[in-house]
Amino acid sequence: MSKIDEIYIFEALKEAKKAFQEDEVPVGAVIVYKNRIIARGYNQVERLKDPTAHAEMIALTSAANYLGTKWLNGSTLYVTIEPCSMCAGALVLARIKKICFGAKDPKTGACGSVINIVNNKKLNHRIEVNGGLLEKDCGQLLKEFFKKKRKKIISSGEVAEWSKATHC
């Protein structure tokens, strides 16, 4: 991992910690264009009551607004966990150049773990992928979050909707 990649994935991890503090699944993202962070996002699904409010989608919308275009050619997404199929599809549509992620997602990862949307030869755009950046740190934050949630459920006896879902 290059020093530059480390700096940007660390920034995504800071965003994930914001989600953790707000009791959201701790996923964070930043989008870099011409060596500058142009967008940030963290999961806000519960807060906004919006199943599409993933860190990647929030950052993607912000980056498109910043650049004034739907195409994010030459941009790189740094995200703490491998994007799901919704996010990967949106990233293909936005023509993002590269995805750098922290932890793999063995349940819904769409950059190679479960399915590979971002490099599907039938689609009109493919994305370079670099996974495993600060993997332990990114994965640990998710483990802490779900451990805390399980402990809360056990003590209260409730069954939460999130317990049936994955990271997103």
Side-chain angles (χ1 to χ4, degrees):
M1 168 172 47
S2 75
K3 188 67 177 166
I4 292 292
D5 285 342
E6 186 176 349
I7 289 167
Y8 291 135
I9 196 69
F10 187 74
E11 289 298 315
L13 194 53
K14 283 200 241 178
E15 294 298 311
K17 288 176 182 177
K18 291 178 187 177
F20 186 92
Q21 293 301 318
E22 293 183 20
D23 206 28
E24 294 275 357
V25 177
V27 178
V30 297
I31 295 179
V32 175
Y33 180 72
K34 293 185 178 178
N35 300 315
R36 220 171 120 220
I37 295 173
I38 61 166
R40 296 174 177 270
Y42 61 90
N43 272 8
Q44 296 179 47
V45 171
E46 300 302 324
R47 176 188 195 191
L48 299 175
K49 309 283 187 268
D50 179 356
T52 70
H54 295 196
E56 302 96 321
M57 300 296 280
I58 290 169
L60 189 64
T61 299
S62 180
N65 286 333
Y66 178 84
L67 294 174
T69 179
K70 62 185 176 183
W71 307 124
L72 299 182
N73 299 320
S75 297
T76 299
L77 169 77
Y78 290 85
V79 62
T80 55
I81 193 164
E82 180 180 3
C84 70
S85 57
M86 175 186 67
C87 294
L91 293 163
V92 168
L93 292 172
R95 310 275 196 283
I96 204 153
K97 179 182 179 184
K98 185 176 180 182
I99 297 169
C100 295
F101 67 84
K104 289 184 178 179
D105 186 346
K107 291 185 179 180
T108 65
C111 296
S113 289
V114 176
I115 191 169
N116 196 343
I117 290 174
V118 299
N119 281 299
N120 186 317
K121 289 179 176 32
K122 292 183 178 182
L123 299 177
N124 63 348
H125 179 73
R126 282 171 275 306
I127 302 171
E128 182 183 338
V129 176
N130 183 12
L133 283 70
L134 294 183
E135 186 171 14
K136 287 182 183 176
D137 296 312
C138 294
Q140 186 59 39
L141 189 60
L142 285 160
K143 285 177 187 171
E144 274 182 52
F145 176 80
F146 286 111
K147 183 178 180 182
K148 183 177 85 168
K149 284 293 192 184
R150 281 190 295 277
K151 191 173 184 179
K152 183 179 175 183
I153 284 176
I154 289 168
S155 66
S156 71
E158 69 183 62
V159 177
E161 285 300 311
W162 68 263
S163 66
K164 301 170 191 165
T166 62
H167 86 278
C168 297

